């Protein structure tokens, strides 16, 4: 590993020295990362190897909650707040909302925290992810049951939300090391066009089910074509990020 010309142990570095090393390692926000890691007393060496900050310190803020995260689950992204916003506006008072592919529980727990009137549940095909989500729900004191299920558990739902894998196979090698080397591939990649998981959920859901689906901006038109009465919500960057519609 590059040392930047210094043999000093990483735990004794100043913020400026740590930031310089992180910049040399290719980190996008070296000063911010250095300040956070040194304040937390966390392992700079792991960040120099491009491990995400959230995995190093074991947590990530998402909307008004803080989630425990580890390599069994994706790190929640700001773009996914668009899915939460859509759900908050769509769910009727006292309605039943289910989150498919819940991962850390970010979407389901954020919805429940902001709309305690809702009955919110979650599911994930990964037993490890379900363990993380259940732990987050318990720590936050939010009543969000989470089950192991590949697609949509049987039930009567007013709204189903999902942030499923939507990265194309040919995009994987070009992703940043933080993603490619550390985050779970199966939670990111979904076939040649990135839409296999979304197609599978649409096929598995009963006709008439109201879905809110996160996707890449370039996939918006294709996702609208899978649903009836479909419309797409843009994220804060103006990109088509979440499509809402009913299963035909």
């Amino acid at each position: 590993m590059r040392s930047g010309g210094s043999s000093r142990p990483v735990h004794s570095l100043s913020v400026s020295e740590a930031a310089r090393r992180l910049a040399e390692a290719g980190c996008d926000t070296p000063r911010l990362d250095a300040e956070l890691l040194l304040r937390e007393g966390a392992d700079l060496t792991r960040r120099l190897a491009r491990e995400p900050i959230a995995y190093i310190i074991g947590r990530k803020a998402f909307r008004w909650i803080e989630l425990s995260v580890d390599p069994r689950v994706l790190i929640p992204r700001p773009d996914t707040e668009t899915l939460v916003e859509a759900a908050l506006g769509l769910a009727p008072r006292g309605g039943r909302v289910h989150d498919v592919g819940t991962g850390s529980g970010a979407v389901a727990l954020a919805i429940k925290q902001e709309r305690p009137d809702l009955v919110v549940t979650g599911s994930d095909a990964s037993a490890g992810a379900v363990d993380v989500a259940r732990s987050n729900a318990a720590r936050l004191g939010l009543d969000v049951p989470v089950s192991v299920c590949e697609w949509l558990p049987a039930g009567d739902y007013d709204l189903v939300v999902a942030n499923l894998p939507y990265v194309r196979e040919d995009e994987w090698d070009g992703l940043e090391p933080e993603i490619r080397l550390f985050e779970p591939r199966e939670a990111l990649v979904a076939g040649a066009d990135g839409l296999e998981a979304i197609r599978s959920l649409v096929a598995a859901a009963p006709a008439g089910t109201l879905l809110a689906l996160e996707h890449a901006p370039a996939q918006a038109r294709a996702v609208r074509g899978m649903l009836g009465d479909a419309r797409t919500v843009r994220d804060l960057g103006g990109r088509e990020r979440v499509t809402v519609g009913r299963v035909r």
Side-chain angles (χ1 to χ4, degrees), residues 45-57:
T45 301
R46 291 169 64 184
R47 185 67 185 117
L48 288 169
R50 303 295 293 273
E51 185 173 353
I53 289 277
Y55 288 160
I56 297 171
I57 67 174

Side-chain angles (χ1 to χ4, degrees), residues 156-178:
D156 182 18
Y157 306 111
D158 295 289
L159 173 66
V160 173
V161 300
N163 177 19
L164 296 171
Y166 55 78
V167 173
R168 301 193 317 265
E169 291 277 0
D170 64 359
E171 292 178 308
W172 179 252
D173 289 341
L175 295 178
E176 295 177 347
E178 286 85 347

Side-chain angles (χ1 to χ4, degrees), residues 70 97 101 139 151 169 178:
D70 63 38
V97 179
R139 182 176 50 79
W151 299 115
E169 291 277 0
E178 286 85 347

Side-chain angles (χ1 to χ4, degrees), residues 8-169:
R8 291 176 60 191
V10 292
H11 66 267
S12 68
L13 296 179
S14 67
V15 170
S16 295
E17 290 171 310
R20 177 176 58 79
R21 289 198 184 188
L22 289 168
E24 290 176 350
C27 297
D28 289 339
T29 55
R31 180 80 186 190
L32 179 63
D33 291 0
E35 291 175 350
L36 179 58
L37 288 169
L38 294 178
R39 182 170 69 243
E40 295 287 332
D43 191 344
L44 180 65
T45 301
R46 291 169 64 184
R47 185 67 185 117
L48 288 169
R50 303 295 293 273
E51 185 173 353
I53 289 277
Y55 288 160
I56 297 171
I57 67 174
R59 64 183 188 274
K60 177 68 175 179
F62 182 75
R63 291 186 70 83
W64 307 109
I65 59 178
E66 187 170 75
L67 300 153
S68 295
V69 293
D70 63 38
R72 292 175 291 177
V73 297
L74 292 182
I75 298 166
R77 269 73 165 173
D79 288 341
T80 302
E81 294 196 15
T82 307
L83 181 59
V84 175
E85 292 281 359
L88 295 174
L90 288 165
R93 182 157 188 83
R96 294 174 56 86
V97 179
H98 186 81
D99 178 25
V100 177
T102 196
S104 66
V107 171
L109 294 170
I111 291 171
K112 182 66 175 179
Q113 193 268 338
E114 295 179 50
R115 287 281 306 275
D117 62 289
L118 298 174
V119 177
V120 183
T121 53
S123 61
D124 201 290
S126 164
V130 168
D131 286 344
V132 174
R134 287 174 176 169
S135 176
N136 278 321
R139 182 176 50 79
L140 293 167
L142 295 170
D143 182 15
V144 178
V146 182
S147 60
V148 179
C149 183
E150 185 173 7
W151 299 115
L152 180 63
D156 182 18
Y157 306 111
D158 295 289
L159 173 66
V160 173
V161 300
N163 177 19
L164 296 171
Y166 55 78
V167 173
R168 301 193 317 265
E169 291 277 0

